[in-house]
Amino acid sequence: MAVIDESDCRETIHRAISRAKESGQNSVACMTRKIETLDPLLFYRSARERYAGERFYWENNEHDLILIGVGIALSIKAEKALDDVQIKDKWARIQRNAVISGEQGIEGAGLLLFGGLSFDAKKKPSADWTPFGQGLFYLPTFLLTMRENQAYLTRSIVCTPEDEPELLIRRMKEHENALLSFHIDFEDEQNQLLFKQDQNPDDWMHLVREAVQVMDTTDLRKVVLARSLKLSFQKPINSERALHKLREQQSGTCVFSMEAGASCFLGATPERLVKKSGNHLYSACLAGSIARGKDAEEDERFGQILINDQKNRMEHQYVVSTVRSSLSNLCDQLTIPEVPILMKNRNIQHLYTPVEGICDEKLSIFDAIERLHPTAALGGLPRTQALEWIRTHEKLDRGLYASPIGWCDAHGNGEFDVGIRSALIQGEQAILFAGCGVLEDSIPEQEYEETAIKFGPMMNVLVGRKL
């Protein structure tokens, strides 16, 4: 199913090489064409042999936009987390010097940057997170965009002043043919769990007690504590199979995967940090959690308990107030309901408040990220004190967990969600992450149980059961 238009491709690449010669800087040739719809996971999987370690998958929680990127045309590494100026400036330079042809003005297609930032700007990445550094973004060589029953394929090539056009065209055609000529089925093979390593429950609950005690003597009102669960399997973990199961099991969430060399960070997050579409800005407040019931009656009862629980309502209100404060100066209008509703996912239900705003169409989504991250749902309140306490006391490196992960295109549109309900996969190993908000009336045993519930989505996918 080759879709390359050689005449258009040749003209675009010639123009990009000419621009590179004129400017003295590399230029991206970016070409987008509408194609027949295809299975997005098969496309993702077909790239494994040639592009292993250079793939991403993104499906929004409405399931009307899917992005799959394979190959890295160019990358941007953050020198420190949330280095907004650095990322914005480099992305702006890439766009200014790019030569774009084919379908244009399609949200999520064309020139597009995908990636994520680390949780803590002041914490050096551990060995587990080294491939991602303080943040990693890249422009994919091939981007499949599927939205509203339409499919588009974007090809991006970095052209230098010395490049030979015909060589680039021939190489692109070979890679595209291989990528789109797939005949693959998913194996449903079992992968035996060999052992698991949990953080010591007593030590973690002691940390919760410490946080509660600190709130008695300081102005710290909330701190979010996370813990990890390490799993080891008989064979390397298949990210395609994990994504397939996440799509089946976790409706209403954003399913994502990002590779960096031999590492893969993936999950199904219910929490949007920020979405920008034209002059519309969207965010979400998600805090306060309880388990799903065994039947409809119990589920309704649990939901009412959550809605009426003072601790959870206070925790949720902290998030609402910080999101409102963060976005008020960026938006001319901001709409936030007064009362939260329930968001029900397969394993857990949350208190949820949607946020909508009207902003300047030229606003960078990175400006919104810088103001929002981390919200009180992932860090605490006040933000600076909570982050310092987490940095000093938490016994793990969050890396991209609980951090912004997502995309932005050349039209100013994009979406970043929060990387929760997630796992870091490296060969046969997986590290699962879960966290909870600690307030002055938190009960350590209940907080521990909440994190156990939040391991559920990834446990179901990787193991097939809860442990």
Side-chain angles (χ1 to χ4, degrees), residues 65-108:
L65 175 63
I66 301 175
L67 306 174
I68 302 101
V70 299
I72 299 177
L74 56 81
S75 63
I76 301 174
K77 286 191 175 182
E79 295 173 3
K80 59 181 180 178
L82 291 181
D83 194 344
D84 182 59
V85 174
Q86 176 207 7
I87 296 169
K88 278 196 305 182
D89 286 354
K90 287 187 176 182
W91 181 226
R93 285 199 297 271
I94 291 167
Q95 294 179 66
R96 282 196 301 268
N97 224 35
V99 176
I100 299 172
S101 66
E103 302 276 358
Q104 296 186 43
I106 300 160
E107 191 169 312

Side-chain angles (χ1 to χ4, degrees), residues 74-194:
L74 56 81
S75 63
I76 301 174
K77 286 191 175 182
E79 295 173 3
K80 59 181 180 178
L82 291 181
D83 194 344
D84 182 59
V85 174
Q86 176 207 7
I87 296 169
K88 278 196 305 182
D89 286 354
K90 287 187 176 182
W91 181 226
R93 285 199 297 271
I94 291 167
Q95 294 179 66
R96 282 196 301 268
N97 224 35
V99 176
I100 299 172
S101 66
E103 302 276 358
Q104 296 186 43
I106 300 160
E107 191 169 312
L111 204 65
L112 181 143
L113 198 66
F114 185 92
L117 294 157
S118 67
F119 179 81
D120 189 347
K122 296 183 179 181
K123 195 165 186 174
K124 183 179 179 181
S126 64
D128 290 329
W129 289 103
T130 297
F132 296 92
Q134 292 283 23
L136 175 63
F137 291 82
Y138 58 83
L139 172 72
T141 304
F142 292 95
L143 170 68
L144 175 65
T145 304
M146 299 186 66
R147 60 176 305 119
E148 299 173 356
N149 298 316
Q150 299 289 341
Y152 303 88
L153 184 68
T154 300
R155 293 143 295 170
S156 297
I157 301 177
V158 176
C159 299
T160 73
E162 297 78 24
D163 276 327
E164 293 293 334
E166 296 305 320
L167 178 62
L168 293 181
I169 294 166
R170 184 165 63 250
R171 188 182 303 154
M172 178 188 289
K173 189 174 182 178
E174 291 172 357
H175 291 189
E176 182 181 293
N177 287 338
L179 192 60
L180 294 175
S181 301
F182 52 78
H183 302 283
I184 305 171
D185 293 322
F186 282 101
E187 314 105 338
D188 193 22
E189 58 183 14
Q190 295 300 311
N191 193 358
Q192 183 182 355
L193 176 68
L194 299 181

Side-chain angles (χ1 to χ4, degrees), residues 343-402:
M343 174 187 283
K344 294 178 180 283
N345 300 128
R346 172 171 171 167
N347 301 87
I348 193 168
Q349 47 190 318
H350 301 279
L351 294 178
Y352 165 70
T353 299
V355 178
E356 296 185 21
I358 303 297
C359 66
D360 187 330
E361 193 166 351
K362 297 180 181 178
L363 174 75
S364 166
I365 195 169
F366 289 107
D367 289 333
I369 292 171
E370 186 174 28
R371 285 178 176 267
L372 286 167
H373 176 72
T375 69
L378 285 310
L381 196 69
R383 179 191 292 183
T384 302
Q385 292 93 317
L387 288 179
E388 179 61 34
W389 206 89
I390 292 168
R391 188 180 304 121
T392 304
H393 293 82
E394 200 169 70
K395 308 299 182 184
L396 59 83
D397 176 15
R398 296 190 182 189
L400 269 63
Y401 164 71

